[in-house]
Amino acid sequence: MNVIKTDIPDVLIFEPKVFGDDRGFFFESFSQKIFEEAVGRKVDFVQDNHSKSSKGVLRGLHYQKAPHAQGKLVRCVVGEVFDVAVDIRKDSTTFGKWVGENLSAENKRQLWIPEGFAHGFFVLSETAEFVYKTTNYYHQQSDCGIRWDDPNISIEWGNTGNVILSEKDKKHKFLTDLY
């Protein structure tokens, strides 16, 4: 497993070693030991989620408030998405900064998004299936979001001319309105 650092030190890309031949491929998609060595602490995952979305769907930017904050290890198993993590830790030196990575069934990369970050993704392929592990259970009262197009964050999503949002995601506030 290759661990790649991003511009925000706590957000990591995990790139597996893929063994393939004319029969198909094999790779180790998760190792607790390698993961914990990379993030530098013990992490317990408690829930796996799976979503399917059509081209142009943008989900996010989502997070849960403490004490129900979630860390997420995310990957795209069908299609391709542009995946984004935004640092919303008020006392962080990277507060309001974002990193993005194309995740796809082809590159098999995963992104670690620790607690204290908002997360979202934009579907680039005709369809995409997205799976992720979380460090905390879904807690409806702690469920929050930030506008995907917040000008103070200025995420470079690419061509979002016909972006498709849920009603919930259309109502999110700007980051500056949260603090």
Side-chain angles (χ1 to χ4, degrees), residues 3-29:
V3 181
I4 303 165
K5 296 184 183 225
T6 69
D7 290 338
I8 299 176
D10 295 329
V11 178
L12 300 172
I13 299 165
F14 289 84
E15 184 177 64
K17 291 180 179 147
V18 180
F19 303 93
D21 59 27
D22 58 350
R23 298 169 299 150
F25 65 83
F26 170 85
F27 68 96
E28 185 175 271
S29 62

Side-chain angles (χ1 to χ4, degrees), residues 103-122:
L103 303 178
S104 69
E106 185 175 320
N107 71 24
K108 298 170 183 43
R109 287 182 164 190
Q110 297 179 75
L111 191 66
W112 165 241
I113 304 157
E115 298 86 345
F117 285 76
H119 170 252
F121 65 88
F122 179 60

Side-chain angles (χ1 to χ4, degrees), residues 13-14 19-20 32 63 71 73 81 96 106 108 110 125 155 162:
I13 299 165
F14 289 84
F19 303 93
Q32 189 78 29
Y63 68 97
L73 181 61
V81 302
E106 185 175 320
K108 298 170 183 43
Q110 297 179 75
S125 52
I155 298 170
N162 294 319

Side-chain angles (χ1 to χ4, degrees), residues 64-108:
Q64 285 188 178
K65 293 184 280 190
H68 301 283
Q70 291 180 318
K72 298 176 181 177
L73 181 61
V74 303
R75 70 184 177 121
C76 185
V77 296
V78 173
E80 183 175 13
V81 302
F82 180 64
D83 197 72
V84 173
V86 179
D87 190 345
I88 59 171
R89 302 169 298 175
K90 187 68 173 159
D91 297 328
S92 171
T93 59
T94 55
F95 175 76
K97 304 290 185 211
W98 65 275
V99 293
E101 179 70 22
N102 280 33
L103 303 178
S104 69
E106 185 175 320
N107 71 24
K108 298 170 183 43

Side-chain angles (χ1 to χ4, degrees), residues 54 56-61 120-123 148 157 160 163-166 169:
S54 302
V57 168
L58 194 147
R59 295 185 186 265
L61 299 161
F121 65 88
F122 179 60
V123 179
W148 69 278
W157 293 101
T160 56
V163 69
I164 303 165
L165 298 169
S166 70
D169 287 352

